Amino acid sequence: MIKILFFGALRERLQQDSLNLPLTTSCSVEELQHKLCFHSPAFTESFTSANLLCAVNQKLTKKDQMIQSGDEVAFFPPVTGG
Amino acid sequence: MTEKQSAAITVKVQTEDFSQELIYKQLAAIPYCGAIVTFVGLVRDHPELELKALELEHYPGMTEHCLYSIAEEAVQRFSLKAVQIVHRVGYLTPEQQIVVVGVAAGHRSDAFAGAEFIMDYLKTQVPIWKKQHDTSGTLWVEAKTSDQQQYNRWSKC
């Protein structure tokens, strides 16, 4: 199982801030993003077009980063703090 | 409020306001420092926008880790003696304070560069998002290419 968190405009579009997903074998961020496209129409739109950043266990990662069961994964739009 | 602290680095993410004066006094008490730079970012109103508030959302935990590692890197790169960062979240109205970065160094060039480095990193790498509330509704603030360019400068040094 992995926990996926959503923030900012993405969280609003998906109308949820998290999702638990069973993960039997490890996959890359890119593969996870592809899986999420099939979750619901809102997910399809958000995960195919948007320019999203990803963090695994609270560290910004690239799309080829591998995800293991138990990881905390987060997707969010480019940041605008400061 | 959440806080992370070491000998010379203090990082806080909080809804409450902060005192730049207090941060300055704490930095000025650090031995052997000849230069202090503090930067404060405010909620900026816009003539044609009629901004009511900025709503700041963040990723609890990751925000504090990111700010702390940026401060650590700044200490290394610019030989800083101390760094304090406070970033506010929640609803903030025009002219309210959003962020303060205070650094203490031996000399002014390191202090200026250290504070600018921290702000450029903070703007592009720390998981915080702003939503604008104005008279016509709400809108998520888009990331700026210029902020990314400011950040990219530091990797060339």
Side-chain angles (χ1 to χ4, degrees), chain B residues 80-94:
Chain B
L80 303 180
K81 298 186 187 303
V83 175
Q84 291 211 25
I85 308 173
V86 184
H87 204 300
R88 293 178 71 196
V89 290
Y91 280 88
L92 300 175
T93 52

Side-chain angles (χ1 to χ4, degrees), chain B residues 12 18-29 38 84:
Chain B
K12 293 178 192 171
F18 52 78
S19 161
Q20 181 212 24
E21 192 186 350
L22 182 65
I23 287 168
Y24 170 76
K25 282 183 180 160
Q26 287 167 351
L27 292 171
T38 63
Q84 291 211 25

Side-chain angles (χ1 to χ4, degrees), chain B residues 7 11 18 48-49 51 68 82 85 87 120 137:
Chain B
V11 160
F18 52 78
E48 64 260 30
L49 209 62
L51 183 74
Y68 197 83
I85 308 173
H87 204 300
D120 288 346

Side-chain angles (χ1 to χ4, degrees), chain B residues 35-37 74-81 103-118 154:
Chain B
I36 292 167
V37 166
V75 165
Q76 291 292 319
R77 260 176 105 147
F78 305 101
S79 309
L80 303 180
K81 298 186 187 303
V103 306
H107 303 280
R108 74 175 187 284
S109 58
D110 284 334
F112 277 126
E116 193 171 23
F117 171 86
I118 291 169
W154 298 103

Side-chain angles (χ1 to χ4, degrees), chain A residues 1-78:
Chain A
M1 191 72 85
I2 52 167
K3 182 166 197 175
I4 310 172
L5 305 172
F6 311 110
F7 291 97
L10 177 68
R11 173 184 56 72
E12 254 184 18
R13 275 203 305 274
L14 301 177
Q15 295 183 312
Q16 64 189 90
D17 58 13
S18 68
L19 176 71
N20 287 315
L21 204 73
L23 190 77
T24 44
T25 52
S26 68
C27 72
S28 70
V29 167
E30 195 170 17
E31 286 161 347
L32 175 64
Q33 228 171 309
H34 188 68
K35 274 186 205 175
L36 289 172
C37 287
F38 298 98
H39 192 73
S40 77
F43 273 71
T44 310
E45 195 185 330
S46 297
F47 281 92
T48 46
S49 62
N51 172 22
L52 295 178
L53 302 180
C54 180
V56 176
N57 298 325
Q58 306 199 346
K59 276 198 135 166
L60 276 177
T61 54
K62 294 191 173 146
K63 304 281 174 190
D64 60 357
Q65 165 79 33
M66 293 307 286
I67 299 164
Q68 320 288 338
S69 183
D71 283 347
E72 178 180 294
V73 182
F75 288 100
F76 43 80

